[in-house]
Amino acid sequence: MKKIFVLIIAIFGIITIKAEPITIKISTNETDLVLQTADNGRLFQLYLGEKLKKTEEYSNVSLRSQTNGMSWEVYPVSGSDTYFEPAFAIQHNDGNLTTILKYVSHSREQIDSNVDLTTIILKDELYPVEVKLFYKAFHDENIIKSWTEIKHQEKKAVTLNQFASSMLYLRNSSYHLTEYAGDWAKEVRESSIDLNFGKKIIDTKLGARANMFTPPFFTLGLDQNAKENEGTVLMGTLSWTGNFRFTFEVDNLNNLRVISGINPDASHYQLEPNEVFKTPEFVFTLSQKGKGQGSRNIQKWARKYQLKDGQKGRMTLLNNWEATYFDFDEPKLTALMQEAKDLGVDMFLLDDGWFANKYPRNSDTQGLGDWDVNMKKLPNGVHNLVDVANKTGVKFGIWIEPEMISPKSELFDKHPDWVIMLPNREPYYFRNQLVLDLSNPKVQDYVFNIIDKLMTENPDIAYFKWDCNSPITNIYSPYLKSKQNNLYIEYVKSLYSVLDRIKAKYPDLPMMLCSGGGGRSDYNALQYFTEFWCSDNTDPIERIFIQWGYSHFFPAKAMAAHVTSWNKNTSVKFRVDVAMMCKMGFDINIKELGENDQIFCKNAVQNYNKIKKVVFDGDLYRLISPYENNHASVMYVNGEKNKAVVYAYDIYPRYGEDLFPVKLQGLDNNKMYKVKEINLMPNQKSQLPCNENLYSGDYLMKIGLDILSTNRLTSRIIEIEAVN
Ligand code: DGJ
């Protein structure tokens, strides 16, 4: 219950009415975010940081509320007294650009013993505008999710010019930002900068393939560079499969403001009266033990609360894309299914090229949109392929790219009005294709029906790979007409509504999120997808870096990693050892490998099946960074700390380089563990002196194991098992 004391103070005959401040504490087991109202009725951030033991001591913190525009208002608005980047800006019906939000009430709902949801209502006293702030705290995982809802009752639509999901303030001696930008085939390259006065923005404007250059997550080192195992680190990600923007602004007092939300560029949203605009969820953790702990917090939370089938296993597979590209027929696919069976994987995945007749999909120049099986390549239809797979003893998965359309397609001939395309300019094509106008409900039905028809006709389809190769270009929706400003946002909302329908009808259908490699990698999409394709770059050297980058935010089971023939200078063992760090699959013609490699791959699948529970559900420890060493090493430890798997890669060791032992982490000091190298080539014997030896957890974590070598592009997988 809201409790307001009214204090009447008479000073020199002037009567001041003062309401006692209302303090709202949003807490996990480690972190407190404390908000407080000021005399003017507005809401400010008092504190964000490691939890205080004595709550009452928060009263010693001074509220940065009335300091002329340099306040820490929780949802600062533009155009009045905010000197820095606002979180919220709307234009009212009378043209006025200012909104002043005042605290009205708040409530807390205990969702279960680990999760609670705080809702705060703010309103403007002059205009009928209401903003709700939401904070969901996951106590054990040390995660807070925040988002807002905006609503108004003005006569006509208002224009939302800024509408952030979250605004956080930090007060430290220095700020160090790590971003994960890249491009196709060079996703998530880590780079860090120091933040000084002014703004640094990480954003994307690409619409559908939104994360082609940069994914929606960041790491912030506070007081020092973000380190793996020490120091305070804020790690955040926006759950939004579209244009996002993170603004990091250091102000005149060296406070850092972090604003996260949809990118408002070309999206000044027209919000109708009484329509509720929900901003995407911003998810963050504040770790006091470096980014290693931050990653474990996020991964644990994702498996438990966010990722589709986060607690379940994943299928190993053989994909035909790199083995055949578009050039296949029934006999070739039948042979590959047999290869999948012989290899021992769970599933065969048929990639691009199986559909379209008038404009057959024999290259990426045509056919997208015509989802009927290509009768020339596959005269007996998808049904027959599913049958063959079943008879062979593997499951069957299939590729689609349902949001896209080729200008050379029957769909385009029939429905040019279903395409995002400017009516008055030459279209710009990305990979020879355009994007369907998902804001149109008829297009949503059409996209839903692609999966629904395939599933209805072939209920045994066990998996979809959902690709999305083009950004949204030529931004114009024939459907939205005068509301073009809403298109980027409506597109994403409509995508979610299609995915909701699919999830409701096929709740147990696993799907891979793919976007020309890693062009989509956000946690809202991952409510619908069991995993995502990290990159088309499967060169194992590059993959070590790419998987390292994504591991900051995603659990291994969400990261699809395939063994391919990229970089034939590396051994098949090295390639497999790299894929085994994540969710392993194959995308290679196994028959083209030498006999030894074929045997090795089969054994590797068996080995993987034995360790994958630890890899999928264990805690990740990044031991040796490839960014700082000529080697890389990571390990996973299960919850009971009685099983672990360690990966060690020698990437570019120098001649005669001095090696050092790899200190393990996350084990139990008091347990004894047996160390065993696995995944060796046929007839290969482990060269590790520690192989088959017993060590205490204490020894393994303090002294470590000599598992690195000076041989370029070699690798080792080591199983660690408690014996007591
Ligand atoms: C891009 C994906 O990243 C690849 O894996 C493959 O599915 C192709 N598209 C097919 O066109």
Side-chain angles (χ1 to χ4, degrees):
M1 263 305 272
K2 188 175 85 178
K3 210 167 151 196
I4 298 176
F5 293 98
V6 180
L7 254 172
I8 303 177
I9 306 161
I11 313 163
F12 305 118
I14 301 166
I15 293 177
T16 314
I17 297 181
K18 223 179 161 195
E20 187 172 285
I22 291 158
T23 306
I24 306 168
K25 193 158 69 67
I26 294 126
S27 303
T28 68
N29 293 347
E30 322 250 318
T31 304
D32 274 346
L33 172 62
V34 187
L35 316 177
Q36 200 172 69
T37 55
D39 296 350
N40 58 13
R42 290 158 71 176
L43 186 67
F44 298 85
Q45 181 187 307
L46 187 68
Y47 176 77
L48 168 63
E50 189 172 6
K51 232 180 154 80
L52 284 191
K53 288 215 164 61
K54 291 185 184 164
T55 307
E56 61 277 13
E57 286 197 299
Y58 284 122
S59 61
N60 296 329
V61 183
S62 59
L63 191 67
R64 268 165 283 279
S65 62
Q66 323 278 13
T67 42
N68 299 331
M70 288 169 286
S71 69
W72 283 19
E73 189 157 17
V74 171
Y75 209 53
V77 296
S78 73
S80 59
D81 55 3
T82 307
Y83 287 178
F84 296 94
E85 188 70 20
F88 185 54
I90 65 179
Q91 181 158 35
H92 301 283
N93 283 184
D94 62 1
N96 194 313
L97 289 164
T98 66
T99 306
I100 305 278
L101 294 170
K102 295 205 171 172
Y103 170 88
V104 176
S105 64
H106 77 281
S107 59
R108 173 147 313 150
E109 185 191 343
Q110 196 68 42
I111 291 176
D112 60 37
S113 57
N114 188 45
V115 186
D116 62 47
L117 173 66
T118 305
T119 306
I120 304 167
I121 299 179
L122 308 174
K123 275 190 182 158
D124 191 342
E125 285 169 348
L126 279 188
Y127 292 91
V129 173
E130 179 185 278
V131 173
K132 282 188 187 162
L133 309 174
F134 296 89
Y135 298 89
K136 205 178 216 181
F138 301 80
H139 301 194
D140 291 346
E141 295 76 20
N142 190 18
I143 294 280
I144 298 176
K145 252 185 184 186
S146 69
W147 71 95
T148 67
E149 276 180 13
I150 303 160
K151 199 173 128 181
H152 73 93
Q153 280 95 28
E154 299 198 17
K155 288 218 162 58
K156 294 185 296 184
V158 300
T159 308
L160 304 185
N161 293 325
Q162 305 255 28
F163 36 93
S165 296
S166 150
M167 172 97 190
L168 296 175
Y169 300 85
L170 295 152
R171 194 167 173 235
N172 294 80
S173 58
S174 58
Y175 310 99
H176 310 269
L177 174 70
T178 303
E179 56 180 313
Y180 302 85
D183 195 349
W184 176 80
K186 44 182 202 171
E187 286 85 350
V188 289
R189 296 202 164 171
E190 269 184 45
S191 64
S192 299
I193 53 161
D194 298 343
L195 297 176
N196 294 307
F197 180 84
K199 275 189 259 183
K200 158 77 185 169
I201 288 175
I202 302 177
D203 72 345
T204 168
K205 301 183 174 74
L206 298 179
R209 190 173 168 171
N211 309 148
M212 181 157 65
F213 303 139
T214 186
F217 43 81
F218 65 84
T219 299
L220 251 180
L222 304 176
D223 296 318
Q224 59 176 351
N225 275 321
K227 295 202 172 128
E228 193 60 33
N229 293 314
E230 60 175 270
T232 310
V233 171
L234 177 83
M235 298 174 82
T237 178
L238 192 79
S239 302
W240 182 246
T241 318
N243 297 346
F244 69 84
R245 188 172 74 181
F246 296 124
T247 306
F248 304 88
E249 185 169 29
V250 178
D251 67 18
N252 55 322
L253 302 173
N254 202 42
N255 298 313
L256 176 66
R257 294 140 183 267
V258 181
I259 312 178
S260 310
I262 292 176
N263 190 343
D265 182 69
S267 288
H268 289 191
Y269 195 87
Q270 296 298 113
L271 184 68
E272 294 295 336
N274 286 316
E275 192 189 340
V276 176
F277 185 88
K278 180 178 181 284
T279 61
E281 294 168 352
F282 173 64
V283 180
F284 71 94
T285 185
L286 188 69
S287 158
Q288 304 301 330
K289 291 191 201 122
K291 48 189 178 169
Q293 186 57 50
S295 298
R296 287 187 287 282
N297 293 346
I298 296 173
Q299 294 173 0
K300 219 179 237 172
W301 161 82
R303 282 192 297 260
K304 198 160 168 203
Y305 296 103
Q306 190 77 11
L307 174 67
K308 179 168 163 60
D309 295 343
Q311 314 267 34
K312 294 193 185 160
R314 297 289 186 269
M315 284 186 279
T316 50
L317 59 87
L318 176 70
N319 189 188
N320 73 310
W321 177 240
E322 296 201 14
T324 64
Y325 292 105
F326 294 97
D327 179 21
F328 57 80
D329 54 16
E330 277 173 0
K332 265 197 194 176
L333 296 185
T334 306
L336 283 171
M337 289 185 211
Q338 189 57 51
E339 277 187 32
K341 176 67 186 166
D342 296 344
L343 184 59
V345 294
D346 303 312
M347 181 176 51
F348 171 73
L349 171 62
L350 173 60
D351 215 284
D352 195 354
W354 60 268
F355 52 91
N357 288 292
K358 183 169 175 196
Y359 304 98
R361 183 75 174 167
N362 293 328
S363 71
D364 65 13
T365 56
Q366 58 183 35
L368 285 175
D370 300 346
W371 297 100
D372 289 323
V373 73
N374 180 286
M375 294 310 281
K376 210 162 162 204
K377 283 184 194 173
L378 306 170
N380 297 300
V382 174
H383 190 68
N384 172 62
L385 295 176
V386 182
D387 268 1
V388 176
N390 285 349
K391 280 184 194 131
T392 313
V394 286
K395 294 196 186 304
F396 182 83
I398 194 162
W399 178 98
I400 49 173
E401 195 178 0
E403 299 154 70
M404 301 287 151
I405 182 164
S406 305
K408 273 187 173 174
S409 66
E410 291 184 68
L411 185 67
F412 192 93
D413 293 347
K414 208 163 138 201
H415 286 297
D417 55 322
W418 279 12
V419 183
I420 294 177
M421 191 170 66
L422 291 159
N424 51 354
R425 292 185 199 276
E426 273 298 295
Y428 165 82
Y429 299 107
F430 190 101
R431 209 196 189 205
N432 315 301
Q433 63 197 58
L434 293 167
V435 183
L436 284 171
D437 182 6
L438 266 186
S439 68
N440 182 340
K442 285 192 184 136
V443 177
Q444 292 170 28
D445 287 345
Y446 170 82
V447 171
F448 170 76
N449 283 331
I450 297 169
I451 286 205
D452 194 35
K453 182 164 178 274
L454 278 163
M455 286 303 290
T456 310
E457 290 172 0
N458 312 283
D460 282 343
I461 291 182
Y463 185 87
F464 279 86
K465 175 177 176 183
W466 179 305
D467 208 344
C468 164
N469 283 290
S470 177
I472 300 181
T473 53
N474 320 290
I475 186 80
Y476 183 87
S477 155
Y479 179 78
L480 288 177
K481 300 198 172 69
S482 66
K483 282 195 173 172
Q484 295 302 323
N485 266 327
N486 291 13
L487 178 52
Y488 279 121
I489 293 171
E490 288 310 321
Y491 185 90
V492 181
K493 288 190 348 194
S494 307
L495 174 66
Y496 295 154
S497 109
V498 173
L499 290 166
D500 277 333
R501 285 165 73 185
I502 294 169
K503 197 173 173 183
K505 189 153 180 194
Y506 304 104
D508 299 320
L509 184 64
M511 296 204 286
M512 184 205 285
L513 174 64
C514 175
S515 183
R520 273 180 172 170
S521 50
D522 72 90
Y523 268 119
N524 207 73
L526 286 171
Q527 290 186 94
Y528 306 100
F529 295 89
T530 43
E531 59 236 44
F532 71 98
W533 182 230
C534 302
S535 176
D536 279 345
N537 190 338
T538 46
D539 172 337
I541 302 175
E542 293 304 319
R543 268 294 175 135
I544 290 175
F545 288 86
I546 290 169
Q547 292 166 194
W548 179 272
Y550 280 123
S551 80
H552 285 80
F553 289 86
F554 301 104
K557 64 165 59 164
M559 292 158 54
H562 294 177
V563 178
T564 72
S565 40
W566 279 54
N567 196 349
K568 286 190 174 149
N569 292 327
T570 61
S571 67
V572 170
K573 169 167 165 62
F574 189 75
R575 287 180 248 164
V576 170
D577 282 1
V578 172
M580 272 171 86
M581 195 212 282
C582 293
K583 200 230 119 187
M584 182 172 73
F586 289 80
D587 195 346
I588 190 168
N589 196 337
I590 303 286
K591 287 269 149 56
E592 282 174 9
L593 302 179
E595 202 183 327
N596 247 7
D597 282 337
Q598 289 191 35
I599 299 171
F600 167 77
C601 287
K602 282 183 200 172
N603 293 339
V605 173
Q606 300 309 317
N607 291 332
Y608 186 68
N609 287 340
K610 285 186 206 140
I611 60 168
K612 69 184 179 194
K613 178 98 188 75
V614 182
V615 177
F616 288 166
D617 298 323
D619 276 333
L620 167 77
Y621 292 86
R622 286 181 295 260
L623 306 176
I624 308 226
S625 166
Y627 283 92
E628 291 158 16
N629 298 274
N630 301 331
H631 313 265
S633 181
V634 300
M635 72 182 284
Y636 300 92
V637 186
N638 74 352
E640 297 78 36
K641 295 180 185 285
N642 56 18
K643 278 199 172 110
V645 187
V646 182
Y647 298 79
Y649 306 102
D650 307 309
I651 311 171
Y652 305 115
R654 303 283 305 275
Y655 168 77
E657 182 185 297
D658 292 328
L659 297 171
F660 52 93
V662 177
K663 289 182 188 156
L664 308 193
Q665 292 178 37
L667 300 172
D668 182 335
N669 290 70
N670 299 317
K671 282 196 163 94
M672 291 302 292
Y673 294 92
K674 183 160 185 194
V675 168
K676 189 173 174 213
E677 183 175 3
I678 59 165
N679 223 34
L680 292 152
M681 288 297 288
N683 306 322
Q684 186 194 353
K685 290 238 164 3
S686 173
Q687 299 301 307
L688 297 178
C690 59
N691 193 40
E692 304 276 357
N693 285 356
L694 284 181
Y695 301 93
S696 67
D698 193 48
Y699 177 97
L700 292 170
M701 294 193 287
K702 288 180 180 161
I703 294 184
L705 295 174
D706 285 306
I707 50 174
L708 301 179
S709 90
T710 49
N711 299 323
R712 289 187 99 189
L713 304 174
T714 56
S715 51
R716 263 137 260 117
I717 300 182
I718 293 132
E719 212 177 13
I720 310 276
E721 207 157 352
V723 291
N724 59 348

